[in-house]
Amino acid sequence: MRSVGCFICLCVACLVSSADVKSEAVAWRNSQIHSYFINRQRAAVRTNVFTILSRAHADRNVYPSAGVLFVHVLEREYFKGEFPPYPKPGDASNDPITFNTNLMGYPDRPGWLRYIQRTPFSDGVLYGSPTADHVGKATVIEITAYNRRTFETARHNLVINIISADDFPLPYQAEFFIKNMNVEEMLASEILGDFLGAVKNVWQPERLNAINITSALDRGGRVPLPINDLKEGVYVMVGADVPFSSCLKEVETPQNQLRCSQEMEPLISCDKKFKAQFHIDWCKISLVDITKVVSVSKEKPDPGSGVLPDMGEYNPPSDSLKSRDYFSDFLVTLAVPSAVALVLFIILGYIMCCRREGVEKRNMQTPDIQLVHHSSIQKSSKELRNMSKNREISWPLSTLPVFHPVSGEIVPPLHPDNYETTSMPLMQTQTNLQNQTQIPQQQPAGKWYS
């Protein structure tokens, strides 16, 4: 009994001592953490530099339905607590914050999910319409917030659990194009609720859901000019469980189709119910009844097991390559074209040099009467040239005798005695000038006289 009592006392003492050790360790750790925060705060006061101590956040889960519009707003106010406050106390914290969203493990988002943030001072929005193929699959979206003032980041995870809808898809679907709205304005719950209310008044369905929202820029639209508060435009698809109303079917009438082809506004009786807040382009509305759409079954290819069939071992080529004779390649590449060029050169030389007719052969083949005419014309032309040399005409001013600047003597013209006067102009303009100096006539073997 004494041994048992001693053992019990020893165990109690050990527990008490371990509890004391644990309490001392906790107190020491708390004191260290407290001193760490105090030191960080003192350092921050001295240097005006803040460092985020990351905090663990649980993943946020959302449960959208397949075939229904999903909208998730990334609020800047929610992420401001992740970043340090302004250095000066009392200043409003309005840091520019941008977001980056991607599927976990991938660089981009899923194909059905889109993201938009107009400015760093506005909230970001994730929106899209999941399909039935994504039902039961958890989609984890990594959301990274960037503080553009301090260049710090904070990361959260958004887990999207897509559930199936009982009435998916709705049989009657209509897509409207709203000209005076941007996509981020239409995604606001108040604006979207007003639009669905206007559609419900026109359509009168029992169940009405927004299926998808798409910016006009994603459909190939142009960016509007920054004048007159122009908007990009947005496509809104809604679905209902009842057939289309008579007002919506007015777009398909021949008169309105003709007006749309002429770029004129169609006449829609229920347009006034939207006109106060939404400017709808009725020419771009589309009405789809999926109960009448013929479904085309596409056979999916069999992916197979992914294992290649056994083709035997791979035999690489040997390291020692056989020598190759390039003489035949040389003959085909250089010798044959050179021989052809030489033959062509010989033929061309024979035609140009050895086949010339000459003057004698030309005269022999020319009729005698043609040679006589040619000879007479040649003799007449030669006689006229000889006669033109002896005609008396006034010399050009450039050939008049001039006085020597030193001796004062008359210097004869520069042209020789046998100067050919046929090159002189027939009409001499200098003969009409006043005080025209008489030019001495040229003598056959005489001197120049003044």
Side-chain angles (χ1 to χ4, degrees):
M1 294 295 294
R2 287 184 179 180
S3 61
V4 173
C6 292
F7 177 75
I8 293 173
C9 292
L10 182 61
C11 291
V12 171
C14 291
L15 291 175
V16 171
S17 60
S18 62
D20 294 338
V21 171
K22 290 182 179 179
S23 61
E24 290 178 0
V26 171
W28 178 83
R29 184 179 62 182
N30 292 335
S31 63
Q32 291 295 326
I33 293 175
H34 181 67
S35 62
Y36 174 75
F37 276 102
I38 293 176
N39 293 334
R40 298 293 293 180
Q41 292 177 357
R42 289 177 180 176
V45 172
R46 289 196 302 266
T47 61
N48 294 330
V49 176
F50 294 86
T51 304
I52 295 178
L53 299 178
S54 60
R55 297 178 295 176
H57 292 270
D59 296 342
R60 188 172 183 178
N61 290 267
V62 291
Y63 299 89
S65 300
V68 182
L69 179 65
F70 165 71
V71 179
H72 182 76
V73 181
L74 305 180
E75 299 179 354
R76 295 174 65 254
E77 296 294 335
Y78 179 75
F79 288 89
K80 282 183 179 179
E82 300 292 331
F83 304 111
Y86 266 46
K88 298 181 181 179
D91 291 349
S93 177
N94 192 24
D95 292 342
I97 299 176
T98 58
F99 301 95
N100 182 34
T101 59
N102 63 280
L103 183 65
M104 179 176 288
Y106 295 89
D108 203 355
R109 299 174 299 276
W112 62 270
L113 189 61
R114 297 177 180 174
Y115 167 74
I116 186 172
Q117 183 185 16
R118 189 66 64 175
T119 64
F121 298 95
S122 60
D123 296 335
V125 181
L126 285 169
Y127 66 99
S129 180
T131 61
D133 298 336
H134 302 91
V135 174
K137 300 177 182 179
T139 304
V140 182
I141 304 298
E142 293 181 344
I143 302 173
T144 306
Y146 296 90
N147 190 323
R148 297 302 179 181
R149 179 180 65 89
T150 60
F151 302 100
E152 294 172 334
T153 61
R155 178 170 294 178
H156 288 229
N157 291 336
L158 177 66
V159 182
I160 303 176
N161 303 282
I162 303 172
I163 59 178
S164 60
D166 298 335
D167 52 355
F168 172 80
L170 294 173
Y172 302 96
Q173 299 177 2
E175 188 177 53
F176 299 85
F177 177 65
I178 305 174
K179 298 184 290 185
N180 64 328
M181 288 287 175
N182 289 334
V183 62
E184 69 273 8
E185 299 173 348
M186 198 65 198
L187 289 173
S189 58
E190 299 83 4
I191 304 297
L192 184 59
D194 295 342
F195 178 75
L196 294 178
V199 174
K200 191 172 184 179
N201 292 334
V202 174
W203 202 339
Q204 298 296 330
E206 295 182 2
R207 181 176 176 83
L208 181 69
N209 288 333
I211 299 177
N212 199 5
I213 291 181
T214 308
S215 174
L217 300 182
D218 297 333
R219 297 284 188 90
R222 301 179 62 181
V223 178
L225 296 175
I227 56 175
N228 299 330
D229 196 21
L230 296 178
K231 304 293 184 178
E232 299 171 357
V234 60
Y235 289 89
V236 181
M237 178 178 288
V238 297
D241 55 352
V242 297
F244 304 109
S245 63
S246 58
C247 173
L248 297 179
K249 291 183 178 180
E250 291 178 2
V251 183
E252 299 178 349
T253 59
Q255 294 81 6
N256 286 331
Q257 291 294 325
L258 179 61
R259 294 178 66 89
C260 289
S261 63
Q262 297 175 354
E263 298 184 357
M264 299 174 61
E265 287 287 341
L267 301 177
I268 306 298
S269 59
C270 57
D271 184 36
K272 57 184 179 181
K273 297 184 179 180
F274 297 91
K275 206 70 174 180
Q277 190 176 2
F278 306 100
H279 297 169
I280 297 179
D281 189 349
W282 292 99
C283 292
K284 294 184 178 180
I285 188 175
S286 63
L287 306 177
V288 179
D289 184 1
I290 63 176
T291 59
K292 299 180 180 180
V293 176
V294 179
S295 60
V296 179
S297 59
K298 296 182 179 180
E299 297 181 359
K300 296 183 179 179
D302 185 12
S305 60
V307 179
L308 295 176
D310 187 10
M311 303 296 294
E313 296 182 357
Y314 173 68
N315 296 321
S318 60
D319 298 336
S320 60
L321 298 177
K322 297 181 180 180
S323 61
R324 182 179 176 182
D325 186 12
Y326 293 96
F327 182 73
S328 58
D329 297 340
F330 169 76
L331 293 179
V332 174
T333 306
L334 296 178
V336 174
S338 301
V340 173
L342 180 60
V343 172
L344 294 177
F345 177 77
I346 293 173
I347 295 175
L348 182 62
Y350 172 75
I351 295 174
M352 296 293 294
C353 300
C354 301
R355 300 284 297 177
R356 298 186 63 180
E357 297 180 352
V359 178
E360 297 180 358
K361 186 175 182 179
R362 182 195 64 184
N363 294 339
M364 291 175 62
Q365 294 179 354
T366 304
D368 295 339
I369 186 64
Q370 187 175 354
L371 293 176
V372 172
H373 290 171
H374 177 72
S375 178
S376 61
I377 293 173
Q378 189 176 10
K379 290 180 181 180
S380 301
S381 301
K382 187 176 182 181
E383 186 177 358
L384 289 175
R385 290 192 183 95
N386 293 332
M387 292 174 62
S388 64
K389 294 181 180 180
N390 299 326
R391 64 183 177 182
E392 296 179 358
I393 60 172
S394 300
W395 293 90
L397 295 178
S398 60
T399 60
L400 291 176
V402 295
F403 293 95
H404 196 275
V406 178
S407 62
E409 298 179 355
I410 296 178
V411 180
L414 299 177
H415 60 80
D417 294 339
N418 58 352
Y419 183 75
E420 186 178 359
T421 59
T422 56
S423 62
M424 299 181 185
L426 297 178
M427 301 296 294
Q428 297 294 329
T429 57
Q430 61 268 27
T431 56
N432 300 327
L433 299 177
Q434 296 180 0
N435 301 326
Q436 177 67 37
T437 305
Q438 184 65 28
I439 302 175
Q441 299 298 326
Q442 198 173 22
Q443 300 298 331
K447 298 182 178 180
W448 289 94
Y449 300 91
S450 60

